[in-house]
Amino acid sequence: MGNIDLVCVEGYLQRKDIRQRVLKCFHVALNDHSRVFVVRLDIRFPQGFMHDGSNSLLSELLRRVKIHYSYEGDVRPKVSCEYVWVREQHRSETPHYHLLLLLGGSEIQNGWGVRSVVAGKWSRLLKGDFGACIHLCPPAYDASGILIQRPTEHAEGWKLLAEIDEFEAAHAAAFNWACYLAKIYTKGSAPHGVREFGSSQF
């Protein structure tokens, strides 16, 4: 892992640079929107896929996902979409990716719908029925993501305190859940010059 700074969180090592990128993503999304819906996905390649070692297919997937959510039509509104991704590989012939999406929470609060969009894009990109290669990672048994909502502008007194508590609890839960991306396990195998993480442009 070279000279990468690490931190131990809940008994396992995480990369500080990835944690900081995740935190920056949260800051940008919550600065722009009062509600942010956080979704985590795993992205894999089908068995036997001939992979070239680069991240080019992931980059194209993310480009298509951003276009999908930035399109404003008669049926659906434009949706803010920020992301962080990491590349990992252990014993498999191909890498896999963990993807964190922070979406406008006033428009989207269903992680399964997000997973369906990404699965469709991945299938078309790989030219086959490969939606099963996209896995939704629920934060809890009955949840498909985490909604973070800033306190409302006109809240006062006990209502404001309650909303602050809810915001801080949701933010902490989502950030801790998102920092799974920062774990060092199964990282370090990317070819020379190939990035192991990235994000949308902040």
Side-chain angles (χ1 to χ4, degrees):
M1 298 298 291
N3 296 320
I4 294 172
D5 288 335
L6 304 176
V7 60
C8 186
V9 180
E10 296 181 358
Y12 63 96
L13 291 174
Q14 295 183 359
R15 287 178 48 169
K16 286 185 179 180
D17 54 350
I18 298 175
R19 283 178 63 89
Q20 287 300 316
R21 186 68 63 89
V22 169
L23 185 61
K24 176 67 173 178
C25 190
F26 271 64
H27 175 77
V28 168
L30 287 164
N31 190 56
D32 291 342
H33 303 281
S34 60
R35 290 180 172 185
V36 172
F37 189 63
V38 185
V39 179
R40 231 183 68 198
L41 300 171
D42 291 344
I43 301 171
R44 298 184 182 274
F45 292 95
Q47 189 172 7
F49 186 84
M50 298 299 292
H51 190 264
D52 66 2
S54 74
N55 295 321
S56 59
L57 287 170
L58 177 74
S59 296
E60 178 60 19
L61 172 67
L62 294 174
R63 187 187 74 82
R64 294 183 185 192
V65 169
K66 287 282 283 188
I67 289 173
H68 174 87
Y69 284 116
S70 65
Y71 173 75
E72 187 171 11
D74 296 333
V75 179
R76 57 185 170 83
K78 179 178 179 179
V79 178
S80 169
C81 177
E82 304 293 348
Y83 61 82
V84 178
W85 61 266
V86 298
R87 171 187 171 130
E88 298 182 358
Q89 190 169 356
H90 189 38
R91 294 191 177 94
S92 64
E93 295 295 321
T94 57
H96 65 272
Y97 299 94
H98 300 295
L99 176 63
L100 176 73
L101 292 168
L102 282 80
L103 302 150
S106 295
E107 297 81 21
I108 293 182
Q109 296 182 19
N110 183 345
W112 288 107
V114 175
R115 183 252 168 216
S116 179
V117 167
V118 176
K121 305 291 183 191
W122 194 234
S123 289
R124 284 188 286 278
L125 185 57
L126 300 188
K127 298 179 173 60
D129 184 10
F130 299 123
C133 292
I134 306 297
H135 302 277
L136 179 70
C137 305
Y141 176 75
D142 59 347
S144 62
I146 297 177
L147 179 67
I148 308 172
Q149 180 170 320
R150 291 199 317 244
T152 53
E153 293 181 1
H154 304 295
E156 297 179 349
W158 66 267
K159 189 175 189 303
L160 175 60
L161 294 175
E163 290 184 2
I164 290 173
D165 285 345
E166 290 176 5
F167 168 79
E168 291 178 347
H171 187 286
F175 179 70
N176 290 336
W177 179 52
C179 280
Y180 178 82
L181 274 68
K183 67 180 176 65
I184 66 167
Y185 182 66
T186 68
K187 291 186 177 71
S189 62
H192 179 72
V194 175
R195 292 189 301 160
E196 286 199 312
F197 78 98
S199 68
S200 49
Q201 299 297 313
F202 303 139

